[in-house]
Amino acid sequence: MLKIKSAELVSVCGVSSKLPEPTLPEFAFVGRSNVGKSTLINGLMNRKALARTSSKPGKTQTINFYKIVLAKGGSAFFLVDLPGYGYTTAGPAIKAQWGRMVSNYLGDTGRLRAIFLLLDIRHKPSADDKQMYEWIIDGSHTPIIIATKADKIKKSQLTKQLKLLRDTLTLASGTAVIPYSSQTKEGLGEICALLRSPL
Ligand code: GTP
Ligand code: MG
């Protein structure tokens, strides 16, 4: 776990707002709506509800910058919570606006230390997931894949599900895939280690 001195929400960007000036390394969390981005960010911050979550998809509709200051040495970075894609009840105009907002942010690659792409361990990655993966690769980033909700499958299915994920996305060899569960905290230590010593 990270020893955190402080964690606070410092910027919220809507479709029409300008991105904040990059000041600290940023770790972005992307993935389909409801995959568990905000939940993972809470897990990393060791907070129950600083990042708002919901059982209904489409909870996060803005780009939210959480500033983390570590207890030891005082090093600091941002965890950036993005709106999810594939949220079907949003109208096409709204979806297009979110798409532009997210791609504008992710395209500003100088500010990004790493991108975490979250995928639900239970499901075959969707066409949207595949597109997002390819888009990240095209932007010269190697995403860290987080397979969320690992508590929802049997241990005996783990290898099979991870293979399905790797094969469907045709992941570049050496791409990290980390199973994570907000319930059991499986994977938390590994993800924290990546934040402490970024790629
Ligand atoms: P958007 O903001 O809509 O893009 O969704 P999100 O990706 O931020 O998802 P969120 O963190 O709000 O989680 C969606 C739902 O999944 C919530 O009900 C969470 O409690 C649940 N959830 C997230 N991670 C896990 C997990 O590891 N295990 C289980 N069992 N449930 C999880
Ligand atoms: Mg969210």
Side-chain angles (χ1 to χ4, degrees), residues 10-30:
V10 295
S11 310
V12 174
C13 279
V15 284
S16 55
S17 29
K18 239 182 101 215
L19 290 169
E21 286 300 315
T23 51
L24 292 169
E26 294 177 11
F27 295 91
F29 294 79
V30 301

Side-chain angles (χ1 to χ4, degrees), residues 81-104:
D81 194 4
L82 290 150
Y85 47 81
Y87 168 43
T88 46
T89 56
I94 300 282
K95 275 197 198 163
Q97 277 186 326
W98 286 354
R100 272 198 299 278
M101 175 167 78
V102 170
S103 57
N104 175 43

Side-chain angles (χ1 to χ4, degrees), residues 33-34 36-39 53-54 58-60 84 149 151-152 182:
S33 201
N34 208 46
K37 299 176 293 297
S38 301
T39 303
T53 64
S54 170
K59 180 68 190 175
T60 309
K149 312 197 184 185
D151 54 282
K152 297 225 187 207
S182 64

Side-chain angles (χ1 to χ4, degrees), residues 17-83:
S17 29
K18 239 182 101 215
L19 290 169
E21 286 300 315
T23 51
L24 292 169
E26 294 177 11
F27 295 91
F29 294 79
V30 301
R32 172 176 81 64
S33 201
N34 208 46
V35 70
K37 299 176 293 297
S38 301
T39 303
L40 171 58
I41 289 175
N42 282 327
L44 293 169
M45 297 191 296
N46 197 22
R47 294 294 194 91
K48 276 213 168 64
L50 186 54
R52 301 294 299 279
T53 64
S54 170
S55 55
K56 289 200 217 87
K59 180 68 190 175
T60 309
Q61 306 197 354
T62 48
I63 302 181
N64 299 336
F65 294 77
Y66 295 91
K67 182 178 174 180
I68 312 299
V69 181
L70 297 183
K72 255 200 212 142
S75 70
F77 51 81
F78 284 108
L79 300 181
V80 183
D81 194 4
L82 290 150

